[in-house]
Amino acid sequence: MTRTSTRTAVPASLARLLSLAVLPAAVLLLAVLTGCAAGGAAQGTGPGEDNSAGNSAGNSAAGSGAKPEGTITVFAAASLKGTFTELARTFEAENPGTTVALSFAGSSDLASQISQGAPADVFAPADLANMKKVQDAGLVDGAARNFATNTLAIAVAPGNPAGITALKDLARPGLKLVTCARQVPCGTAAATAAEAAGVALNPVSEENAVTDVLGKVASGEADAGLVYGTDIKSAGSKVAGIQFPESGSAVNTYPIAGVAGGRNKAAARAFLDLVTGPEGRRVLAAAGFGPAGAGDGSVK
């Protein structure tokens, strides 16, 4: 069987009319399709846009179709060392082929490093002020999410040989007190609590990380130190903790966000989901952190 095709000749004048009518329509159709594609690609990808707020566990990574893999670098406050180390192990176990590189330090130091181009994928400071520094520099990918709170306590040697019972005792002459520096979140909280109590603190040393304060008390270099309650709990029998009511005036909120220059977006967002999801809340609560209130991590 032989197929044949029949073509009808179109007069030249009619062909010109058809081309004039069809070409604009084709151009319009192409513009519409191109615009739709461009709009879809740009949505939620710019600095400061919310890629992640309201996502349930795994939603953002799954929604993008990207499976978490490779290495992510997490810059986190020193007070998160125990909890984030545990969550990193969980993340790696749940996502074979991933590695979480953790970097712990004072929040202000970490914010400065990110601002200077340090290769981080996730940032989790111990206060909103340091997150704001990074946000204002346009270095946050999506909205920050608040995930925990923390309050100060007085750390002393086991048995409390200095007989400290209240915040005002830290102003006692001759007492070797160590606090965080004012620019560090725990130092800001210590100053706020002292002002609320009307107590003038005169520390013999000011540290850039709360873990350094704890270390000096645990080693006997200091009689007392102002640290987070979670640090005292994690230290076990090395120190004893004393609560004081003025700590309620200086509650620190912890936010977390992806870093705009991060190279592993899918894994970073999956890690954010883990920290802010049920498993993250469980681990943080077990360590003594309080729940986070609503908010996007910004400081008004």
Side-chain angles (χ1 to χ4, degrees):
M1 180 177 180
T2 302
R3 291 183 176 176
T4 59
S5 62
T6 303
R7 295 183 178 179
T8 303
V10 178
S13 58
L14 179 58
R16 284 196 298 276
L17 289 173
L18 287 172
S19 65
L20 291 172
V22 171
L23 182 59
V27 171
L28 177 60
L29 177 61
L30 180 60
V32 170
L33 292 174
T34 304
C36 290
Q43 185 176 4
T45 59
E49 293 181 14
D50 185 1
N51 289 334
S52 52
N55 287 336
S56 59
N59 187 41
S60 54
S64 65
K67 178 184 177 183
E69 59 184 10
T71 299
I72 56 170
T73 300
V74 177
F75 279 20
S79 51
L80 293 169
K81 186 173 183 178
T83 52
F84 270 39
T85 298
E86 181 178 347
L87 289 171
R89 290 172 182 160
T90 300
F91 184 82
E92 292 171 349
E94 293 180 350
N95 300 280
T98 61
T99 300
V100 181
L102 297 165
S103 179
F104 298 107
S107 298
S108 58
D109 287 343
L110 295 174
S112 296
Q113 291 174 29
I114 292 173
S115 298
Q116 294 168 8
D121 296 287
V122 174
F123 179 43
D127 66 350
L128 301 179
N130 280 292
M131 178 61 80
K132 180 173 171 54
K133 293 178 186 175
V134 179
Q135 282 179 324
D136 290 349
L139 298 175
V140 167
D141 179 30
R145 289 182 257 177
N146 299 336
F147 67 95
T149 55
N150 213 346
T151 54
L152 294 177
I154 303 170
V156 297
N160 191 12
I164 295 169
T165 60
L167 185 64
K168 62 181 177 57
D169 293 334
L170 301 184
R172 190 187 304 158
L175 183 83
K176 291 188 291 184
L177 170 68
V178 178
T179 67
C180 291
R182 185 68 180 255
Q183 68 270 19
V184 183
C186 61
T188 303
T192 300
E195 290 171 6
V199 174
L201 300 178
N202 296 296
V204 296
S205 176
E206 293 183 334
E207 307 297 329
N208 286 325
V210 69
T211 47
D212 293 336
V213 176
L214 186 69
K216 289 204 169 183
V217 176
S219 66
E221 295 181 61
D223 297 318
L226 281 170
V227 299
Y228 295 117
T230 54
D231 296 305
I232 294 173
K233 187 171 184 177
S234 65
S237 60
K238 296 179 182 177
V239 299
I242 299 167
Q243 306 294 326
F244 60 98
E246 295 86 354
S247 65
S249 63
V251 178
N252 275 9
T253 296
Y254 288 60
I256 188 169
V259 177
R263 297 180 178 180
N264 196 339
K265 303 289 188 185
R269 290 171 186 170
F271 187 77
L272 295 180
D273 289 337
L274 175 66
V275 172
T276 58
E279 178 63 10
R281 290 195 293 271
R282 184 193 68 78
V283 171
L284 289 158
F289 286 89
D296 62 0
S298 61
V299 177
K300 309 300 181 186

